[in-house]
Amino acid sequence: MEQFKGKVWVLGDDIDTDIIIPTEYLALPTVEDMKQYGFSPLRPELAGQIGEGDIIVAGSNFGCGSSREQAPEIIKALKVKCVIAKSFARIFFRNSINNGLLLIENDKIQDAVKEGDEIEVTLGEKITYNGTDYEIHSLSDNLMEIINAGGLVEAMKKRNGVK
């Protein structure tokens, strides 16, 4: 199983897609242009502080609100390794998978971890924080194929031998 470690950024419940990327920035030409405004209604400085391989840990209903596909694209463009939350809005969950963003559900880690701490994730098995293991479930093989390919389009190209 794949393992990785990352610095934690803690967010609360009901982080909606308007918080992830506000509407006024959707007119910018590219996701790269938009990413600096990620999470700006909540914490204007956050997008500039997130580093490659960092992990967002959030509460319940992460990604609620509109079905805008740019929300997971922004998180991925910020080079976040994964988002761990108590629960995800279903359309956000599917949009994230389709864009190659790894999501993990766990209903206990958000209450234990502190921002800036490091956690270790063993995919399909556990999250380890301060010597305590928090069980997680595996995503199906077909969903992991999509994530590992970088998204649905790339997975289908690979599966169909298209370059």
Side-chain angles (χ1 to χ4, degrees), residues 23-29 34:
T23 305
E24 61 264 29
Y25 303 113
L26 295 176
L28 294 173
M34 292 179 217

Short mmCIF file of all heavy atoms in Angstrom, two decimals, residues 23-29 34:
data_model
loop_
_atom_site.label_atom_id
_atom_site.label_comp_id
_atom_site.label_asym_id
_atom_site.label_seq_id
_atom_site.Cartn_x
_atom_site.Cartn_y
_atom_site.Cartn_z
N THR A 23 -17.10 32.64 -6.68
CA THR A 23 -17.66 32.84 -8.02
C THR A 23 -16.93 33.89 -8.83
O THR A 23 -16.69 33.71 -10.03
CB THR A 23 -19.15 33.23 -7.91
OG1 THR A 23 -19.83 32.23 -7.14
CG2 THR A 23 -19.80 33.35 -9.26
N GLU A 24 -16.55 34.99 -8.20
CA GLU A 24 -15.95 36.09 -8.95
C GLU A 24 -14.62 35.73 -9.63
O GLU A 24 -14.19 36.42 -10.54
CB GLU A 24 -15.78 37.35 -8.09
CG GLU A 24 -14.88 37.17 -6.88
CD GLU A 24 -15.64 36.87 -5.59
OE1 GLU A 24 -16.73 36.27 -5.65
OE2 GLU A 24 -15.11 37.21 -4.52
N TYR A 25 -13.99 34.64 -9.20
CA TYR A 25 -12.71 34.25 -9.80
C TYR A 25 -12.86 33.19 -10.88
O TYR A 25 -11.88 32.83 -11.54
CB TYR A 25 -11.74 33.78 -8.72
CG TYR A 25 -11.52 34.84 -7.67
CD1 TYR A 25 -11.95 34.66 -6.37
CD2 TYR A 25 -10.91 36.05 -8.00
CE1 TYR A 25 -11.77 35.65 -5.41
CE2 TYR A 25 -10.72 37.05 -7.06
CZ TYR A 25 -11.17 36.84 -5.77
OH TYR A 25 -10.99 37.83 -4.84
N LEU A 26 -14.07 32.71 -11.09
CA LEU A 26 -14.28 31.67 -12.10
C LEU A 26 -14.09 32.18 -13.52
O LEU A 26 -13.89 31.39 -14.43
CB LEU A 26 -15.68 31.06 -11.95
CG LEU A 26 -15.93 30.30 -10.66
CD1 LEU A 26 -17.39 29.86 -10.60
CD2 LEU A 26 -14.99 29.12 -10.51
N ALA A 27 -14.13 33.48 -13.71
CA ALA A 27 -13.94 34.06 -15.05
C ALA A 27 -12.47 34.17 -15.44
O ALA A 27 -12.16 34.48 -16.59
CB ALA A 27 -14.59 35.43 -15.11
N LEU A 28 -11.57 33.92 -14.50
CA LEU A 28 -10.15 33.96 -14.84
C LEU A 28 -9.84 32.88 -15.86
O LEU A 28 -10.49 31.83 -15.88
CB LEU A 28 -9.30 33.81 -13.58
CG LEU A 28 -9.41 34.98 -12.59
CD1 LEU A 28 -8.67 34.65 -11.29
CD2 LEU A 28 -8.87 36.26 -13.20
N PRO A 29 -8.83 33.07 -16.71
CA PRO A 29 -8.61 32.16 -17.84
C PRO A 29 -8.26 30.71 -17.47
O PRO A 29 -8.66 29.80 -18.19
CB PRO A 29 -7.45 32.80 -18.61
CG PRO A 29 -7.23 34.14 -18.03
CD PRO A 29 -7.95 34.22 -16.74
N MET A 34 -6.61 31.03 -11.02
CA MET A 34 -7.61 31.02 -9.95
C MET A 34 -7.06 30.55 -8.60
O MET A 34 -7.55 30.99 -7.56
CB MET A 34 -8.76 30.08 -10.32
CG MET A 34 -9.61 30.50 -11.45
SD MET A 34 -10.87 29.21 -11.72
CE MET A 34 -10.96 29.23 -13.49
#
